[in-house]
Amino acid sequence: KINVKQIGRSGNGKSLGLASLRDIEYDPPITKTRISNAYKRLRAGETVVNPFGETLFVDKRTLAHLAKRGRKPSELAVRLSELDAAEETVRHPHEIWRGEQKSRRIYIRMVTLPSGGKVINAVDETDHVLSWHSNASQYDYWRKGTLLYLRA
């Protein structure tokens, strides 16, 4: 049951009385993105529209952030293979939070992924999707800050 009074409040999922992410109905699986296609798409640039109607860029800046120094090639490959899942997370999240870094929003979506992850989150900053990852154990880790959106 959605309580719209939770929108705009600060805290975490538990303090706001939200259902555990483990109890949310998962969205259907998303097919992996071919890594070579992900590179091409990011270099060419594309956009995704979030539930607020804002257009966000997924492009060379995103690729530069994903490929930052110190990132293992295997981790980069997983993230690139989840490009479509990340974009769907921005389009159709279960929740959106204003993170501790005020310029960033965290999009959270429960989905079964080819990599085995259950939670995928995407991070935007200003008008770009910067990063994303999936995780099967940190269900509630990203649920903190100010709740901006809750899927009905």
Side-chain angles (χ1 to χ4, degrees), residues 80-118:
L80 290 171
S81 74
E82 293 174 351
L83 175 60
D84 290 329
E87 289 184 353
E88 277 303 302
T89 296
V90 172
R91 282 187 197 98
H92 304 290
H94 283 96
E95 300 172 2
I96 302 173
W97 294 78
R98 167 89 46 221
E100 294 171 347
Q101 294 183 26
K102 299 295 183 195
S103 63
R104 293 186 176 186
R105 289 179 292 196
I106 290 69
Y107 298 75
I108 298 174
R109 186 166 184 243
M110 295 300 294
V111 64
T112 303
L113 296 169
S115 64
K118 299 288 189 202

Side-chain angles (χ1 to χ4, degrees), residues 26-93:
Y26 294 0
D27 289 340
I30 296 174
T31 306
K32 276 187 179 183
T33 307
R34 292 188 62 179
I35 294 171
S36 60
N37 289 344
Y39 271 115
K40 288 176 191 173
R41 288 169 51 193
L42 290 170
R43 286 185 186 121
E46 48 194 48
T47 60
V48 61
V49 177
N50 69 17
F52 303 123
E54 300 166 336
T55 300
L56 303 173
F57 296 96
V58 187
D59 57 15
K60 291 178 184 176
R61 180 175 166 193
T62 307
L63 181 57
H65 186 84
L66 291 175
K68 67 185 178 184
R69 174 175 276 152
R71 184 155 337 253
K72 295 178 185 175
S74 59
E75 184 182 351
L76 176 59
V78 168
R79 290 193 191 205
L80 290 171
S81 74
E82 293 174 351
L83 175 60
D84 290 329
E87 289 184 353
E88 277 303 302
T89 296
V90 172
R91 282 187 197 98
H92 304 290

